[in-house]
Amino acid sequence: MKLRNRFVIVLFLLLDAVAVPAEPAKAEKKAPPTTAEVLAATKPSDWRPLDLDNTLYIELPSGRVVIELAPKFAPAHVANIEALVRQHYFDGLAILRSQDNYVVQWGDPNADDKEKARPVPEAQKSVPAEWSVALTKAIGFTALRDDRDGYAPEVGFAGGFPAAADPKSGQVWLAHCYGIVGVGRGDPPDTGSGAELYAVNGNAPRHLDRNTTVVGRVVSGMEQLSTQPRGTGALGFYEKDEHGATIRSIRVAAEVPVSERTDLEVMRTDTPAFRALVESRRNRRESWFRASAGYVSLCNVPIPVRPTPPAPKL
Amino acid sequence: MKLRNRFVIVLFLLLDAVAVPAEPAKAEKKAPPTTAEVLAATKPSDWRPLDLDNTLYIELPSGRVVIELAPKFAPAHVANIEALVRQHYFDGLAILRSQDNYVVQWGDPNADDKEKARPVPEAQKSVPAEWSVALTKAIGFTALRDDRDGYAPEVGFAGGFPAAADPKSGQVWLAHCYGIVGVGRGDPPDTGSGAELYAVNGNAPRHLDRNTTVVGRVVSGMEQLSTQPRGTGALGFYEKDEHGATIRSIRVAAEVPVSERTDLEVMRTDTPAFRALVESRRNRRESWFRASAGYVSLCNVPIPVRPTPPAPKL
């Protein structure tokens, strides 16, 4: 059906889209590759498995959300979130907020009620802000060429996350792109703990950069969060508890039985293959496109995720 | 509840947020105004009513979506869409596609089936592409100061829509920000008619600029579109017709009885008040923010919409 082919754009966060068969460029073709061709030509070494000790599964009534945590960028918060998860803190809590074109947020609906709030005996109630870290070699920041970003001197990728950097101050931080996960906080900077988290569900709110601690990004199941009915209260908070979906559980992937895991690989962002992918987004080669942008903004670069391919037979 | 005050950000597209009481800056305060203060200080002349002849109401089972059309940017497509609407073409058709972080699209599920496709006796089946128009004074383009946009030489606003311009080529076009509405088409540029439309539901896909005809933007009820369950087919198309919400009707607002209209005003984008609003987004003044971006991207500038205030008593 021709209709189904409109906007022939492979959105790589959709797992099935990654599986779309794509012909590699033939030798006689001189045209630069499309995104599908770049992906089809990747080698196993262009991908990395998720670190299961730093991967979370959120189980919602509608399905699973998989979050890759970023301990290099927020070590204390990631440790605290994992402590909360290990004591099953989140099980039975809820989505608290769903604001259109901004964020969806989850945690304890009674967090502000001293009598009803769920206790956190084995975790910190607040953690000092981790809004940026030192731009060391270990952080592995790769700048986007020709970035023209308004929010930071440099933007690019670090360890598979969208990031921004200021070489002058020597700092680097994760950028608020779609699906990024951050820590809710009150007015004072050090009031977040990871017990309340949010994910970006709309146009990249980059003005939040360096105003919250970013702890990771959704690598699968984002649609479970983005389609939550919008809250009717101020800022998209639900006015009645029954409107927010219940969190069945949050678990660290390594603690989930092997048969129940979601095996995913993330494309490495420091390879020639990834540079080719970025180039294929700067100038779209698919026949549908007529005007080439010659540019791609940080948050429009997909960081591909795919099911782990079966091991080759010996 | 303190929790409810986290992220104290007034999202102006949410009508209730506009009604949040805000204190205007006191005379003794020298600090530049917050967005809420800018809005509270607006005069009636900073707002304009919707042109009811160029406003559409989409009635979905979950509620109404209001779209402001942009006849200056796509006169032939807007005329064709209005012809389709006047013959009730869309009534009983459906949401066809909901792709996470990209677009939601609606039209005739049988458009490609010659026998089942709904006929369009009094409208064009295809309309020549209207991807940009001449940058004349009449178009009223106001550039964002300090825009640093990667996708176009200049960005700003035109008649209340986010727009981009190229003074060298003398062209201006509407920009693919969240909520923008465009015309679906096949591979050849002139295959769109307005019988199939989409709205942006994620991070601004600016690479679509000048690749499709943009006909307007959603000014109310975007959440009815953005929360549509994601289609499981390629590109977010629904694989089974029953998954797509049915369109009860689409009407031109002027043809709806007065008592059933949604009376809205849109903030003018060519006033000192709007410039102050943009400035309040460049550097957020709310106490919650600690790091100032000193910049706002085109698609992060809200174009405020509010219910029309009651007429003053004589």
Side-chain angles (χ1 to χ4, degrees):
Chain A
M1 282 171 84
K2 195 176 145 203
L3 187 72
R4 304 289 170 220
N5 289 324
R6 290 187 186 181
F7 292 127
V8 183
I9 292 164
V10 183
L11 218 250
F12 298 95
L13 295 174
L14 288 178
L15 299 178
D16 62 333
V18 175
V20 162
E23 263 183 87
K26 287 173 193 164
E28 64 267 28
K29 266 194 202 169
K30 293 283 182 205
T34 64
T35 310
E37 289 165 346
V38 170
L39 282 177
T42 55
K43 299 172 301 233
S45 59
D46 291 321
W47 300 79
R48 60 177 173 83
L50 289 174
D51 172 3
L52 297 183
D53 287 315
N54 288 301
T55 299
L56 298 182
Y57 294 159
I58 306 182
E59 308 293 351
L60 294 176
S62 55
R64 177 177 284 180
V65 181
V66 182
I67 292 174
E68 178 174 26
L69 294 169
K72 278 188 185 176
F73 283 86
H77 281 83
V78 166
N80 205 50
I81 291 166
E82 290 173 352
L84 288 164
V85 167
R86 289 204 164 89
Q87 65 188 270
H88 299 182
Y89 171 80
F90 290 98
D91 300 12
L93 298 185
I95 309 276
L96 306 177
R97 174 189 188 188
S98 171
Q99 181 170 352
D100 202 56
N101 190 21
Y102 200 45
V103 296
V104 53
Q105 199 162 325
W106 59 95
D108 182 357
N110 297 312
D112 293 338
D113 182 328
K114 277 183 187 171
E115 289 188 10
K116 291 187 190 169
R118 185 168 292 202
V120 283
E122 291 158 62
Q124 303 301 315
K125 285 195 174 176
S126 66
V127 177
E130 296 173 301
W131 294 351
S132 65
V133 297
L135 183 55
T136 60
K137 218 171 174 180
I139 214 81
F141 177 76
T142 314
L144 257 182
R145 176 178 68 80
D146 179 28
D147 53 37
R148 278 180 284 176
D149 184 79
Y151 288 95
E154 285 190 2
V155 292
F157 300 89
F161 296 95
D166 182 358
K168 223 164 141 184
S169 71
Q171 293 288 299
V172 60
W173 56 93
L174 296 184
H176 276 83
C177 295
Y178 190 89
I180 213 82
V181 176
V183 171
R185 65 163 173 90
D187 242 34
D190 294 341
T191 50
S193 72
E196 191 162 325
L197 296 166
Y198 66 86
V200 169
N201 70 3
N203 190 59
R206 295 281 310 282
H207 52 285
L208 291 177
D209 288 6
R210 285 183 293 172
N211 278 294
T212 66
T213 299
V214 175
V215 292
R217 77 171 183 114
V218 175
V219 290
S220 172
M222 181 61 202
E223 67 279 8
Q224 319 293 346
L225 295 173
S226 58
T227 57
Q228 292 294 323
R230 303 322 188 210
T232 52
L235 309 178
F237 277 97
Y238 294 113
E239 293 180 287
K240 292 178 184 172
D241 289 343
E242 65 261 38
H243 287 282
T246 299
I247 295 168
R248 290 189 178 160
S249 68
I250 303 187
R251 293 289 179 274
V252 175
E255 299 190 352
V256 167
V258 174
S259 64
E260 293 170 25
R261 289 183 193 156
T262 303
D263 288 322
L264 298 173
E265 291 187 334
V266 181
M267 193 171 176
R268 290 180 55 181
T269 53
D270 57 352
T271 59
F274 189 76
R275 282 199 294 281
L277 180 120
V278 171
E279 180 51 38
S280 76
R281 306 306 273 189
R282 272 201 192 91
N283 294 293
R284 300 296 292 259
R285 314 295 183 187
E286 298 87 353
S287 64
W288 187 88
F289 283 91
R290 302 302 166 122
S292 265
Y295 173 77
V296 64
S297 68
L298 174 67
C299 294
N300 275 329
V301 177
I303 302 173
V305 176
R306 68 178 186 185
T308 307
K313 284 179 189 168
L314 295 176
Chain B
M1 283 170 82
K2 197 175 143 201
L3 186 74
R4 305 290 171 221
N5 289 324
R6 291 188 186 180
F7 293 127
V8 184
I9 292 162
V10 183
L11 218 250
F12 297 95
L13 295 174
L14 290 178
L15 298 178
D16 62 333
V18 176
V20 163
E23 263 183 88
K26 287 173 195 166
E28 63 268 28
K29 267 193 199 167
K30 292 284 181 205
T34 64
T35 310
E37 289 165 345
V38 169
L39 283 177
T42 55
K43 298 172 301 231
S45 58
D46 290 322
W47 300 80
R48 61 179 172 80
L50 290 174
D51 171 3
L52 297 183
D53 287 315
N54 287 302
T55 299
L56 298 182
Y57 294 158
I58 305 182
E59 307 293 351
L60 294 175
S62 55
R64 177 178 283 179
V65 181
V66 182
I67 292 173
E68 178 173 25
L69 294 169
K72 278 188 185 176
F73 283 86
H77 282 83
V78 166
N80 206 50
I81 291 166
E82 289 172 351
L84 288 164
V85 167
R86 289 206 163 86
Q87 64 188 270
H88 299 183
Y89 170 80
F90 289 98
D91 302 11
L93 297 184
I95 309 277
L96 305 176
R97 174 188 189 189
S98 171
Q99 181 171 351
D100 202 56
N101 190 21
Y102 199 46
V103 296
V104 52
Q105 198 162 325
W106 58 94
D108 183 357
N110 297 312
D112 293 339
D113 182 326
K114 276 183 187 171
E115 288 186 11
K116 291 187 190 168
R118 186 169 289 203
V120 283
E122 290 156 63
Q124 303 301 314
K125 285 195 173 174
S126 65
V127 177
E130 296 173 299
W131 294 349
S132 65
V133 298
L135 183 54
T136 60
K137 218 168 175 183
I139 214 82
F141 177 75
T142 314
L144 257 181
R145 175 176 68 81
D146 178 29
D147 53 37
R148 279 180 283 176
D149 185 79
Y151 288 96
E154 286 190 2
V155 292
F157 299 89
F161 296 94
D166 182 358
K168 222 162 140 185
S169 70
Q171 293 287 298
V172 60
W173 56 93
L174 296 184
H176 276 83
C177 296
Y178 190 89
I180 215 80
V181 176
V183 171
R185 66 164 173 89
D187 242 34
D190 294 341
T191 50
S193 71
E196 192 162 324
L197 296 166
Y198 66 87
V200 169
N201 70 1
N203 191 58
R206 295 280 311 281
H207 51 285
L208 291 176
D209 288 5
R210 286 183 292 174
N211 277 295
T212 65
T213 299
V214 175
V215 292
R217 78 171 183 115
V218 175
V219 291
S220 173
M222 181 61 202
E223 68 279 9
Q224 319 292 347
L225 295 173
S226 58
T227 57
Q228 292 294 324
R230 303 320 188 210
T232 52
L235 311 177
F237 277 97
Y238 294 113
E239 294 180 287
K240 292 178 183 173
D241 289 343
E242 65 261 37
H243 287 281
T246 299
I247 295 168
R248 290 188 178 160
S249 67
I250 303 187
R251 293 287 179 276
V252 175
E255 298 190 351
V256 167
V258 174
S259 64
E260 294 169 26
R261 290 182 192 157
T262 304
D263 288 322
L264 298 173
E265 290 187 333
V266 180
M267 193 171 176
R268 289 180 56 181
T269 53
D270 58 352
T271 60
F274 189 76
R275 282 199 294 280
L277 179 122
V278 171
E279 180 50 39
S280 77
R281 306 306 273 190
R282 272 201 192 91
N283 294 295
R284 301 294 290 259
R285 314 293 182 189
E286 298 86 353
S287 64
W288 187 88
F289 283 91
R290 302 301 165 123
S292 266
Y295 173 76
V296 63
S297 68
L298 175 68
C299 293
N300 275 329
V301 176
I303 302 173
V305 176
R306 69 177 186 186
T308 307
K313 283 179 189 167
L314 293 178

